[in-house]
Amino acid sequence: MITISTGAEVRAVCDETRARGGTVGLVPTMGSFHEGHRSLMRAARATHDLVVVSLFVNPKQFGPAEDLDAYPRDLDADTAIAITEGVDVLFTPEVAEMYPDGARTTVHVAELTEGLCGARRPGHFDGVTTIVAKLFAIVGPCTAYFGRKDAQQLAVIRRMTLDLNLPVEVVGCPLVREPDGLAMSSRNTYLSPDERARATVLVRALRTAADAVLSGERDADALRALLRATFATEPSVRVDYAEVVDVATIRPIARIEGDALIAVAAFVANTRLIDNVTISFDGFRAVVDGGVLAAGSSEEH
Ligand code: AMP
């Protein structure tokens, strides 16, 4: 594996691979690797000749009161993990490389960024789309892997890629959980053991709603009420949102009729966590994806 800090060098390696007829897989990250990141690296490794992982804690996607300075950083551990996963290029640019003096361009995706995390974190998705568009421009034609943990981000990036004719295939990968169901996140390291236990209320709320969908519930307000009722059992956890939206447009829906996203965000002490499940229909069956259900209770109605 080589570690590269300039976009020009990354581009050269990617161009060389494509010139030989090879394909490139890209995994954009902010580091502090866990199983979620590793699953994306493995998906890319399984398919591509060259696997590029970018590691950049992007200041533009953090709000002024958010955790940019505290965000966990451990380049040595991340480098070791990337080597283990067979990554070819670890791209670790400095802020000045990605945002040279005088940069004035922001990529904004309308509407999809207005709800859920977009409403609570003003400017967040502009930071995400701007950096991802830049990574796509640096790497060039490739397949890019994103986790469904960040379902709104995935929808926004898909829309951006379509709207800007970017030569990138966007692949969404399954959400990876801890054994007790908590969605893996770099931010889980902020939690004390007690907070860590209380944080499972997010997945418990989603499980309750998913079970209701499998029992035939289609009314979105009834599902929202179930989410809130589960959160009420853990009053120290502050709900940021508990929503049922269309998976592609991220607009709230009244009934689950097509592909839907049940999404929650909540503060456990000062740590903001997000989680979700997606609901789709396979003929007459509702299918729950997001790994919240007990093994064997497989996803049907
Ligand atoms: P981050 O480093 O948090 O910006 O995440 C980098 C990529 O890893 C994004 O595409 C995330 O959606 C993905 N990711 C983070 N956590 C998980 C998880 N628990 N399961 C699957 N993918 C994840």
Side-chain angles (χ1 to χ4, degrees):
M1 188 182 82
I2 48 173
T3 300
I4 298 181
S5 59
T6 70
E9 284 172 277
V10 171
R11 183 56 184 256
V13 177
C14 294
D15 281 347
E16 192 201 339
T17 299
R18 285 184 293 260
R20 287 189 278 107
T23 64
V24 178
L26 168 66
V27 181
T29 81
M30 298 206 301
S32 192
F33 295 152
H34 50 66
E35 271 302 316
H37 300 107
R38 294 172 83 127
S39 72
L40 304 183
M41 295 177 202
R42 278 179 217 137
R45 182 70 285 164
T47 319
H48 300 286
D49 301 289
L50 184 78
V51 175
V52 179
V53 173
S54 63
L55 193 174
F56 181 62
V57 182
N58 175 29
K60 286 205 190 298
Q61 69 187 72
F62 288 78
E66 292 184 356
D67 57 341
L68 174 62
D69 293 336
Y71 198 82
R73 292 164 170 88
D74 189 344
L75 183 58
D76 289 344
D78 286 348
T79 301
I81 290 172
I83 291 171
T84 308
E85 296 300 345
V87 171
D88 298 302
V89 175
L90 188 63
F91 178 38
T92 58
E94 297 291 333
V95 172
E97 171 74 11
M98 296 311 281
Y99 298 113
D101 273 351
R104 289 290 178 271
T105 307
T106 298
V107 179
H108 175 72
V109 174
E111 294 180 19
L112 281 78
T113 55
E114 285 168 12
L116 305 187
C117 290
R120 272 79 183 174
R121 305 183 67 190
H124 167 70
F125 284 115
D126 286 0
V128 170
T129 42
T130 301
I131 199 69
V132 172
K134 289 166 68 69
L135 290 169
F136 286 3
I138 287 167
V139 169
C142 66
T143 304
Y145 294 82
F146 295 89
R148 291 203 284 266
K149 156 91 189 319
D150 300 277
Q152 185 176 18
Q153 168 175 282
L154 178 60
V156 168
I157 289 169
R158 282 193 197 286
R159 189 72 240 180
M160 171 188 79
T161 305
L162 186 70
D163 289 349
L164 297 182
N165 304 88
L166 301 178
V168 175
E169 185 190 352
V170 174
V171 173
C173 296
L175 198 162
V176 180
R177 297 181 181 280
E178 300 284 359
D180 66 358
L182 182 69
M184 289 205 180
S185 165
S186 305
R187 291 189 166 99
N188 291 351
T189 56
Y190 298 152
L191 302 171
S192 70
D194 176 53
E195 291 162 1
R196 170 72 187 68
R198 286 186 271 137
T200 57
V201 71
L202 278 84
V203 65
R204 284 187 271 124
L206 292 170
R207 193 176 290 139
T208 306
D211 279 339
V213 171
L214 296 182
S215 303
E217 184 61 78
R218 297 290 178 266
D219 182 74
D221 274 342
L223 296 170
R224 292 178 185 110
L226 279 174
L227 294 170
R228 298 256 169 203
T230 310
F231 275 111
T233 66
E234 205 67 75
S236 66
V237 172
R238 184 162 59 84
V239 183
D240 201 23
Y241 61 73
E243 257 303 349
V244 184
V245 300
D246 180 284
V247 77
T249 65
I250 312 293
R251 280 207 195 98
I253 54 177
R255 285 186 66 75
I256 297 200
E257 276 155 357
D259 292 356
L261 179 72
I262 306 178
V264 297
F267 285 92
V268 181
N270 292 325
T271 303
R272 184 175 180 279
L273 301 175
I274 60 171
D275 200 349
N276 70 80
V277 292
T278 47
I279 310 286
S280 57
F281 288 94
D282 164 14
F284 291 108
R285 293 189 333 159
V287 179
V288 175
D289 178 29
V292 294
L293 300 175
S297 70
S298 96
E299 358 241 83
E300 85 182 69
H301 178 70

